[in-house]
Amino acid sequence: MRALLEYGWGTLLLYLLLLLMYWRLGSAPLLPFVATACLGGMLLWAWFYRHYRHVADTPTATTRAAAQGYTECYGAAAAPGGKPLLTPYGKMRCLWYHAECQYQGRDHRHRQRESHRSDDAFRLLDKRGEVVVLPDGALVDSRHVQRWREGDYCYTERWIAADDPLYVLGELHSASNRPQRQDYRDDLQLTLNQWKDDPRTLLRRFDSNGDGQLSAEEWEQARQAAHAQVQDMHRELAAAPLGSQLQRPADGRPFIISWRSPHDTARRLRRLAWCHAGLATLAAVQLVKLLLH
C-alpha cells in the first residue's frame, strides 16, 4: 500500500486498467469488472480517508515543543553529516531516494525489475531546532522525480534533496542525555582504570611526598579528582539538548513524509479519497442495474 501515497493520482489508473481488461476480453460478463471496481474504490477511499483524518487531526508542532508520541513537524530537510547520499542510477545528491529499473525488452532471461530504497536518517530543521527522521517504513511523497530510458531499460528515481520543504507525521521519541547512577559508577571506574594504566602520570599528579608510591591519603585525593572529572562530564551531558527522532509508529498509524505543507498534504489526501469514493459510487450504481436485469 506504500505506493498508493507515493504515486498518488496514479492509483486512479486502476479503473482504466479494469476498463482495458474488459475491452480486451469483450465477451466476458461485465458484472465481475464492475464489482471489482466498486470494492476496490471503497477500499481505496477508506485507505486515503484514514490517512487524511490523521493528517488533518494532528496539530503541527515545533521540533522543540513537540510532545512525545504521535505528532507532526514541518520545516526543511537537512543532511545528517558524513558521506553524501547519491541515487543509484542518476547519481543525484539527496537525503532519501526510491529508484526503479524496469527491463522492457523481449529477452525474458533478463531481470524484469529491480528497486532500491534508502533508509538512512536525515534531519528536519525549523526555526526552533531540529529532529532526526528515520524514514524506514514511511509513505514518502517526494518533490523530485526523474524518468529516462536507456536502451531496453526504463529508469525512475524519486528523491528528497537538502533544503526541500519537509513535512513528517510519525511517532516522536526523545532520548534523555541525563546519565543514570550506574552510568556514573561505570565512568568513575573507567577513569580510575585509565589512570592506573599510566602510573607515571598518576604519580606525577598525586605523589605529593615524592616517595614513588601513592599512600592511602594520596590515593583518596586521586579518587576525589576522578569524581570531580566525571561529575563535570555528566553535567555537560545533562545540559545538552535532547536527541529526538521521528519514526514509524509502533501501533500501525500512518507514517508520512512529504515535501508539501500540512494543509496541502491533507487536501491532497482528501481529494484522492473522495475521487475514489465517487468512482466506487458510480460502479455501485452500475452494479445494482446489472443485478436488477
Side-chain angles (χ1 to χ4, degrees):
M1 297 295 282
R2 175 184 297 165
L4 292 179
L5 187 60
E6 292 182 1
Y7 295 99
W9 296 102
T11 58
L12 297 173
L13 295 177
L14 292 173
Y15 301 98
L16 295 179
L17 179 60
L18 288 172
L19 291 175
L20 178 62
M21 290 174 60
Y22 176 70
W23 177 74
R24 293 292 298 272
L25 298 176
S27 60
L30 183 60
L31 184 62
F33 293 94
V34 176
T36 302
C38 180
L39 178 60
M42 288 190 295
L43 291 176
L44 288 170
W45 168 81
W47 192 89
F48 280 112
Y49 190 76
R50 173 176 177 265
H51 284 68
Y52 157 66
R53 288 309 330 169
H54 278 292
V55 173
D57 295 342
T58 305
T60 305
T62 62
T63 55
R64 182 174 297 179
Q68 297 288 296
Y70 200 58
T71 189
E72 69 178 28
C73 294
Y74 182 63
K83 187 177 180 180
L85 196 62
L86 301 176
T87 60
Y89 306 120
K91 304 303 178 184
M92 305 297 295
R93 294 176 65 93
C94 63
L95 309 180
W96 174 94
Y97 64 78
H98 181 202
E100 289 185 343
C101 173
Q102 289 185 312
Y103 175 72
Q104 298 183 342
R106 298 181 178 181
D107 189 348
H108 297 290
R109 292 175 298 178
H110 286 77
R111 186 175 181 179
Q112 298 301 305
R113 179 179 179 180
E114 65 178 23
S115 177
H116 305 277
R117 178 187 169 104
S118 68
D119 289 320
D120 294 19
F122 51 89
R123 297 182 297 157
L124 184 154
L125 307 181
D126 63 14
K127 295 180 180 180
R128 297 297 185 87
E130 68 177 61
V131 65
V132 175
V133 179
L134 304 180
D136 184 24
L139 304 161
V140 182
D141 176 23
S142 56
R143 185 177 193 176
H144 307 282
V145 181
Q146 185 173 350
R147 299 180 178 88
W148 72 97
R149 187 182 181 95
E150 295 180 6
D152 291 332
Y153 293 90
C154 183
Y155 298 90
T156 302
E157 289 187 332
R158 305 169 185 271
W159 69 92
I160 297 173
D163 299 323
D164 279 355
L166 188 64
Y167 163 79
V168 182
L169 173 66
E171 189 166 352
L172 182 72
H173 288 281
S174 295
S176 174
N177 296 319
R178 185 176 298 278
Q180 303 300 314
R181 181 172 297 181
Q182 186 59 44
D183 296 329
Y184 182 88
R185 293 171 182 159
D186 293 341
D187 288 342
L188 177 60
Q189 188 61 50
L190 178 62
T191 300
L192 290 172
N193 290 340
Q194 290 174 341
W195 288 1
K196 289 179 182 179
D197 291 338
D198 188 4
R200 290 185 179 180
T201 302
L202 187 62
L203 289 172
R204 186 169 61 250
R205 291 183 61 186
F206 300 107
D207 183 15
S208 56
N209 57 16
D211 62 355
Q213 58 183 0
L214 294 182
S215 64
E217 182 179 351
E218 291 168 340
W219 177 246
E220 182 59 28
Q221 291 176 355
R223 285 181 57 83
Q224 293 301 322
H227 273 287
Q229 179 174 312
V230 173
Q231 286 175 350
D232 289 342
M233 180 179 65
H234 282 208
R235 194 176 297 112
E236 292 178 1
L237 287 173
L242 295 179
S244 299
Q245 297 178 342
L246 272 168
Q247 60 191 49
R248 184 178 187 176
D251 58 6
R253 282 183 288 185
F255 180 26
I256 299 174
I257 298 174
S258 176
W259 67 275
R260 307 172 197 271
S261 68
H263 174 74
D264 289 342
T265 300
R267 182 173 58 183
R268 180 170 179 262
L269 289 168
R270 184 179 68 245
R271 288 177 176 175
L272 284 166
W274 290 115
C275 281
H276 285 290
L279 290 170
T281 301
L282 292 175
V285 172
Q286 185 62 34
L287 181 60
V288 171
K289 290 181 180 179
L290 289 173
L291 291 174
L292 294 177
H293 286 79

